[in-house]
Amino acid sequence: MAMKALPLPTSPDGDVTDAVLTVTDLSVEFQTEHGRVRVLDGVDLQVPSGKTLGLVGESGSGKTVTSLAIMGLLDRRVGRISSGSIQFEGQDLAALDARQLRRIQGAKISMIFQEARRSLDPVFTIGDQIAESVRIHEGLSRREAWKRAIEMLQLVQIPDAERRAREYPHTFSGGMCQRVMLASALASRPSLLIADEPTTALDVTVQAQMLRLLRTLQEEMGLAILFITHDLGVVSEMCDRVAVMYAGQIVEEGDATQVFGHPRHPYTEGLIQSLPESAVARGRLAAIPGSVPPAHAWPQGCHFADRCRYAVDACRSGPIPLLSRDGSATRCIRADELSLAGVR
Amino acid sequence: MIGAVGRRLLLAIPILVVVSLLSFLLIDLTPGSPAELLAGEGATPERVAELEQTLGLDQPIWQRFGDYMSGLLQGDFGTSLFSGQSVGDAIGAALPVTVSLIVVAYVLVFVIAIPLGVLAAVRRDTRTDRAISATCSFFLGIPSFVVALVLVILLALTVEAFPATGYKPLADGFGVWLSHLILPGLALALTSAAEVTRQLRGALVDVLEQDYIRTQRAKGLPPLLILGKHGLKNAAPPVLTVIGLQLARMLGSTVIIEQVFAMPGFGALTLNAVLQHDFPLIQGCVLVSAIAVIGTTVVVDVVEAGLNPRLRSAA
Ligand SMILES: Nc1ncnc2c1ncn2[C@@H]1O[C@H](COP(=O)(O)OP(=O)(O)OP(=O)(O)O)[C@@H](O)[C@H]1O
Ligand SMILES: [Mg+2]
């Protein structure tokens, strides 16, 4: 378990940039049929303000749980934050009650999801759905809120915004629904956007347009983004920094180009080698053998040891801390002796 | 939208004709002729035959049905065989009683089922939810006349909070009117309330687990707004269907409930008509019930279409 916070990320010219969100030692437990199970185990994250942090990892590694925990959206009946802090604009979100959290949700931190169409209420017009959160957060009148909704739809480049605001989600395509979600998420000018696989369900061209739009808006609004995906290609295109997640832990964190060029954790190397282009380049399919073990069956030592071709006895002897050096971090005790292959 | 309603109403006409025809056939197949009853015990066969002729019962059924239908078209429901009163007047006198009863019952269904259904859904899988669900099963399992008798014993005879029997028109004052309707209304409402509670709980649990509800939470909307606006509007359609279906159930139950509470309503009128083989009156009662039930379905459909933008744009 990593007890010390990560060093602040540094910008290319060496200046220390400030982080808008700092997650420290975040653990989340769920009540399951296996009893109380820890699905996040000491997660550390920093999202630099105005920049993008990519969070990558296989299915089941805990990316969505991390984002829901940050947003205060864990289903309280089964899940809870058991330790850690979530520092955002001078407050620890993990310590806030539901009412205090509501002042931040959708106002200062917003979230968009994978299935945009299913994330919109089918029985209200999209204009109404965008307007209602600015009415709550900013106390705008009905008319002002509607005006804002239309401005937001124009901002996310939805043609004929005034007319479309009066329409229902089923008349929009998947890509358009995601734009609507984005319009709604950004309506109160948040400083952080959490995007949980926002383009995974979209086809390639629509995905590219969406990413371009996100980057444009990020620059215009000085928005920080926590971008969750399991598509490394998207990460290298979108993200300044990247955190690699495996079985409830961050296993590597650092500057995106650095991490992909010179991974310092065998799991990251495995992910890179699973990319279709590197598989072709090497003439073999180098997927990581096996799959993420379920949370109740995580090993005592390195969570990845059982699937790792570099594992030695020491890897299994006890919890492995996240070790940081020069603005990056790895949870591998052999990081210095291994020379792992990156993207070429 | 208007066109859709018009179409539904046009469609109702053949349904009503078929319903009338079926009840005509049923009455014809029932053993015992009203003429025998009218003539009294020990009457000669000649006397019965004579009466049958006066009543037109010697005519073939298709002719009687034709006469009846042409009467209906002129707004004539026929005349009761026994009281000699016009069927329209008899029903007109009884209907306010039953309409009052059903209105009160429906209000009670809403007052009971909406809070309980919402509470059970919000507290799903907790002890509260299970208690509500068990209560619903209980009331769905016992017949409404048993509820009626228990209510009379407890609240009319033991505590004397409400009158045990009778009906007072609204003209006698709202309080008097209502006090006579609370117990029969409750007896009528409880089964329906249990049914609606269950439906509402199920539909709302479904909705609350949808992605778009998580979105509303992510938007920072207060829980009551999410529940009342996004939750209920999405959960409403299946519940409205069930609420509509309760009318037919309640109409059936009034037959017994009006006996228990000695109310001169539509249920009592129908029961007597059937017991006496008073076929013009039976016909009238069947027709009015069918109109009420079909009318409710149309209203429910229209409200549901209003709630669902996809249906609305299709209509
Ligand atoms: N409500 C819940 N109850 C119990 N366990 C849960 C619950 N939600 C998530 N989990 C568990 O938490 C772990 C992490 O799940 P999570 O959804 O965060 O993965 P993910 O990285 O987002 O995967 P994906 O790429 O498939 O979205 C999984 O083992 C999952 O089974
Ligand atoms: Mg996920």
Side-chain angles (χ1 to χ4, degrees):
Chain A
M1 216 156 308
M3 284 312 178
K4 65 178 180 310
L6 288 172
L8 286 170
T10 49
S11 61
D13 50 14
D15 289 348
V16 173
T17 54
D18 57 334
V20 62
L21 179 81
T22 304
V23 175
T24 313
D25 190 32
L26 179 68
S27 293
V28 166
E29 292 177 347
F30 276 104
Q31 200 63 48
T32 69
E33 70 255 43
H34 304 283
R36 194 184 282 172
V37 168
R38 176 175 284 206
V39 298
L40 287 193
D41 188 11
V43 167
D44 295 325
L45 284 179
Q46 286 197 325
V47 185
S49 65
K51 295 259 163 62
T52 304
L53 170 71
L55 183 59
V56 292
E58 272 166 290
S59 193
S61 53
K63 306 181 297 294
T64 297
V65 172
T66 304
S67 61
L68 294 180
I70 294 169
M71 282 296 285
L73 290 180
L74 288 176
D75 184 346
R76 276 156 209 268
R77 295 172 307 145
V78 289
R80 64 182 192 96
I81 294 175
S82 55
S83 73
S85 76
I86 303 167
Q87 288 295 329
F88 175 81
E89 297 188 347
Q91 281 177 300
D92 181 5
L93 303 186
L96 297 187
D97 64 26
R99 176 188 297 268
Q100 294 165 317
L101 275 170
R102 282 206 294 279
R103 257 182 260 145
I104 291 169
Q105 294 162 338
K108 293 178 172 160
I109 307 180
S110 287
M111 188 159 179
I112 58 177
F113 304 91
Q114 177 169 345
E115 290 285 345
R117 162 94 46 51
R118 284 201 273 129
S119 300
L120 290 165
D121 188 332
V123 302
F124 290 96
T125 64
I126 58 150
D128 188 16
Q129 294 184 59
I130 300 172
E132 70 176 340
S133 70
V134 291
R135 290 190 65 197
I136 294 282
H137 289 303
E138 300 174 40
L140 296 188
S141 72
R142 204 172 272 275
R143 180 188 300 259
E144 292 167 323
W146 188 262
K147 234 183 84 200
R148 173 77 64 83
I150 289 169
E151 285 166 15
M152 292 313 296
L153 289 174
Q154 286 163 342
L155 191 66
V156 298
Q157 299 164 10
I158 287 183
D160 206 2
E162 294 210 18
R163 184 175 58 82
R164 307 251 34 202
R166 282 190 206 92
E167 292 181 1
Y168 292 87
H170 73 273
T171 64
F172 287 73
S173 69
M176 281 295 162
C177 282
Q178 196 57 286
R179 283 171 194 245
V180 171
M181 281 297 290
L182 191 59
S184 167
L186 301 182
S188 290
R189 309 243 151 203
S191 43
L192 174 65
L193 175 72
I194 301 178
D196 190 355
E197 314 215 19
T199 59
T200 311
L202 306 177
D203 65 49
V204 184
T205 39
V206 180
Q207 173 172 345
Q209 290 168 358
M210 185 71 200
L211 294 179
R212 220 173 304 135
L213 176 65
L214 256 180
R215 268 205 309 264
T216 316
L217 293 178
Q218 171 169 42
E219 247 161 64
E220 271 174 34
M221 304 173 74
L223 187 68
I225 303 179
L226 175 58
F227 196 99
I228 297 172
T229 179
H230 43 233
D231 185 339
L232 293 194
V234 172
V235 177
S236 63
E237 199 177 315
M238 277 297 291
C239 302
D240 304 286
R241 294 187 68 87
V242 62
V244 182
M245 192 160 203
Y246 183 79
Q249 296 180 326
I250 301 297
V251 295
E252 181 164 5
E253 201 271 351
D255 179 79
T257 4
Q258 184 72 27
V259 168
F260 289 140
H262 306 280
R264 298 188 65 234
H265 193 286
Y267 179 62
T268 315
E269 182 191 49
L271 279 184
I272 292 168
Q273 288 177 351
S274 305
L275 280 172
E277 49 270 45
S278 35
V280 170
R282 281 152 214 267
R284 65 194 166 96
L285 242 173
I288 313 160
S291 58
V292 188
H296 64 93
W298 289 342
Q300 258 296 304
C302 171
H303 288 185
F304 186 58
D306 291 339
R307 297 170 74 191
C308 178
R309 60 178 125 153
Y310 307 105
V312 294
D313 286 349
C315 300
R316 298 192 172 88
S317 63
I320 313 290
L322 188 62
L323 301 168
S324 50
R325 194 186 69 190
D326 305 337
S328 70
T330 176
R331 202 184 280 273
C332 178
I333 51 170
R334 301 191 63 199
D336 288 336
E337 46 178 305
L338 298 174
S339 83
L340 302 173
V343 177
R344 290 187 299 183
Chain B
M1 187 91 206
I2 305 281
V5 176
R7 227 173 315 146
R8 291 297 308 264
L9 291 178
L10 278 180
L11 212 67
I13 293 174
I15 297 178
L16 290 175
V17 173
V18 170
V19 165
S20 298
L21 183 59
L22 283 179
S23 60
F24 232 87
L25 283 172
L26 265 179
I27 295 165
D28 213 61
L29 290 173
T30 330
S33 131
E36 279 171 19
L37 279 173
L38 265 183
E41 246 173 281
T44 59
E46 291 73 30
R47 169 76 185 130
V48 173
E50 193 188 311
L51 262 174
E52 281 193 337
Q53 206 173 0
T54 354
L55 297 173
L57 287 173
D58 54 340
Q59 307 278 325
I61 181 162
W62 53 267
Q63 183 155 7
R64 276 184 281 140
F65 187 67
D67 288 349
Y68 177 68
M69 278 293 143
S70 66
L72 270 190
L73 285 181
Q74 293 148 30
D76 178 12
F77 282 81
T79 311
S80 162
L81 296 185
F82 292 86
S83 66
Q85 199 183 11
S86 98
V87 168
D89 288 351
I91 292 177
L95 219 44
V97 180
T98 303
V99 168
S100 303
L101 186 54
I102 286 180
V103 165
V104 169
Y106 258 118
V107 170
L108 289 170
V109 166
F110 279 102
V111 168
I112 298 169
I114 292 180
L116 283 186
V118 169
L119 186 67
V122 171
R123 298 263 162 86
R124 55 190 173 279
D125 305 324
T126 64
R127 217 172 301 163
T128 315
D129 180 23
R130 280 190 286 272
I132 292 174
S133 157
T135 314
C136 288
S137 302
F138 176 75
F139 281 106
L140 283 171
I142 53 172
S144 51
F145 73 89
V146 176
V147 178
L149 292 174
V150 171
L151 285 174
V152 168
I153 293 168
L154 285 182
L155 294 176
L157 303 181
T158 313
V159 182
E160 294 184 20
F162 299 100
T165 58
Y167 170 78
K168 289 279 184 295
L170 194 50
D172 290 6
F174 182 77
V176 180
W177 173 79
L178 191 61
S179 70
H180 283 81
L181 289 169
I182 287 287
L183 293 186
L186 210 52
L188 211 52
L190 284 178
T191 315
S192 293
E195 184 69 41
V196 174
T197 303
R198 268 197 175 176
Q199 280 295 328
L200 178 55
R201 183 223 177 253
L204 198 53
V205 163
D206 241 33
V207 167
L208 292 180
E209 274 158 15
Q210 297 295 315
D211 284 355
Y212 55 77
I213 295 296
R214 181 182 59 185
T215 307
Q216 311 313 321
R217 297 209 289 138
K219 277 154 71 174
L221 304 189
L224 274 180
L225 182 68
I226 298 177
L227 191 66
K229 182 174 171 182
H230 298 275
L232 284 182
K233 191 169 178 189
N234 278 287
V239 183
L240 282 173
T241 304
V242 170
I243 289 176
L245 289 176
Q246 297 312 307
L247 182 76
R249 217 211 98 251
M250 287 187 194
L251 270 180
S253 297
T254 52
V255 171
I256 296 171
I257 296 296
E258 287 177 1
Q259 297 299 312
V260 174
F261 290 92
M263 298 173 81
F266 183 74
L269 185 72
T270 311
L271 182 64
N272 280 329
V274 170
L275 291 178
Q276 294 183 311
H277 293 248
D278 191 344
F279 66 91
L281 195 49
I282 299 178
Q283 284 293 330
C285 292
V286 168
L287 204 59
V288 168
S289 307
I291 290 172
V293 171
I294 293 173
T296 321
T297 1
V298 174
V299 171
V300 167
D301 280 357
V302 169
V303 176
E304 277 176 18
L307 290 175
N308 186 338
R310 238 168 294 189
L311 288 181
R312 205 174 332 161
S313 51

